[in-house]
Amino acid sequence: GADFLEGRVEELRLAYEQGLRHLQFVHYIRTPVGDFQTAAPVHNGFSDMGKQLIEACNTMGVLVDLAHSTGAGVDQALEIAKAPVIWSHGWVDTEEGTWRDGTGLMRRRLSLAHAKKIASRGGVIGLWGLGSPRPAVPGRGWSVGARDTQGYARELASLVNKIGADHVALGTDIEGVGSNWSVNSYGDVRQVIKHLEGMKLGTAVIERAKPRKGARKPL
C-alpha cells in the first residue's frame, strides 16, 4: 500500500527517484489514501489526497494498482486516471465484495462490471494464486483449490472469455498467500501454461499471460 507516504503526495517524488514504478494504493491498514475492501469505508472511495495521488502517478509514470480498493474507489480512479490502471491480484465475481462479507476471500471480489471498466480503459486484471480450502463450483465463485494449477488455468481462461486476453494476467502474491495456494512458484506457472495449452487456447492468448524475461509488469 501507499502507507509509507503518510498522507503526503509530495513524498511520491522521492520514492520515484529511488525506483518506484508500481504503486498499490491501499492494503489492510487504514491510511489517508482511501478505503479498502475488508474494512468499513470512511472516505467513500478515495480521499482528496488519494485522488491527487492518482494524478501524480500519471504525471510521473507510476503504474496505479487498485487491488484491495472498493468499488467506489475504482470508479473514482477511472474517472481521474489518464493512463491504464491494473488490479494486480484478486478474483472476479458477478458482484463486488464488501467488508460485511463473511470471509476475506469473499471481501476481495472485484465485480465483473468493474473488471470490464478497467479493461475498457486499457487496464489489466491479475488473478491471485490463492487456493480455497472449500473451492466453489466453477462459475459460482472462486473455484480453485489448494495446489490446483488446473483450476487456476480454468479461471484464467474463463476471464479471458469475459474481458479479452489483452486484459488478463497471472496475478501477484506468488509466495504471498500462505499454505492455501494454487500458484506459488515459477514452476507452478509452468504447469498453468501447460494446462492452458491443453485447453487449446491460442498461442497468442497464452503469450499475453506468460512472464517475459526482463518484463517490468506484474506476473
Side-chain angles (χ1 to χ4, degrees):
D3 315 8
F4 66 94
L5 297 177
E6 297 183 334
R8 297 188 295 272
V9 175
E10 58 271 20
E11 296 296 325
L12 182 66
R13 173 59 64 181
L14 178 60
Y16 179 87
E17 291 172 353
Q18 294 178 341
L20 179 74
R21 295 296 183 273
H22 171 179
L23 179 62
Q24 182 178 313
F25 274 41
V26 297
H27 198 221
Y28 286 114
I29 300 173
R30 290 198 185 277
T31 71
V33 178
D35 297 324
F36 53 100
Q37 292 174 299
T38 48
V42 296
H43 297 289
N44 190 31
F46 285 112
S47 66
D48 289 342
M49 178 265 174
K51 294 172 183 176
Q52 293 168 14
L53 185 59
I54 295 168
E55 295 174 339
C57 284
N58 284 174
T59 299
M60 293 184 196
V62 175
L63 183 63
V64 172
D65 184 350
L66 298 178
H68 287 261
S69 300
T70 63
V74 172
D75 285 333
Q76 292 164 358
L78 291 174
E79 288 178 4
I80 296 167
K82 305 300 184 186
V85 302
I86 67 166
W87 182 279
S88 63
H89 62 291
W91 63 286
V92 177
D93 199 12
T94 304
E95 298 179 351
E96 68 180 270
T98 78
W99 63 277
R100 293 186 177 90
D101 288 327
T103 66
L105 183 150
M106 294 300 290
R107 295 172 189 173
R108 289 281 288 107
R109 294 174 294 164
L110 177 69
S111 73
L112 179 58
H114 280 126
K116 288 180 176 179
K117 282 185 179 181
I118 291 171
S120 71
R121 291 162 174 78
V124 174
I125 309 299
L127 292 184
W128 61 6
L130 182 72
S132 173
R134 295 178 295 278
V137 174
R140 299 183 180 179
W142 185 242
S143 65
V144 185
R147 310 335 189 238
D148 185 10
T149 55
Q150 185 169 19
Y152 182 86
R154 182 183 61 242
E155 287 288 342
L156 279 176
S158 176
L159 191 57
V160 165
N161 287 335
K162 294 171 183 174
I163 66 174
D166 287 334
H167 309 290
V168 180
L170 297 159
T172 57
D173 270 11
I174 287 180
E175 295 188 345
V177 292
S179 59
N180 291 321
W181 53 264
S182 58
V183 177
N184 206 41
S185 72
Y186 291 107
D188 298 326
V189 169
R190 180 66 258 173
Q191 291 302 311
V192 171
I193 299 304
K194 288 182 178 179
H195 292 313
L196 292 174
E197 291 170 342
M199 294 174 188
K200 307 301 182 184
L201 268 70
T203 301
V205 172
I206 296 174
E207 286 291 336
R208 283 164 169 74
K210 288 170 64 175
R212 300 166 181 78
K213 183 177 181 181
R216 300 180 66 90
K217 67 181 184 178
L219 294 172

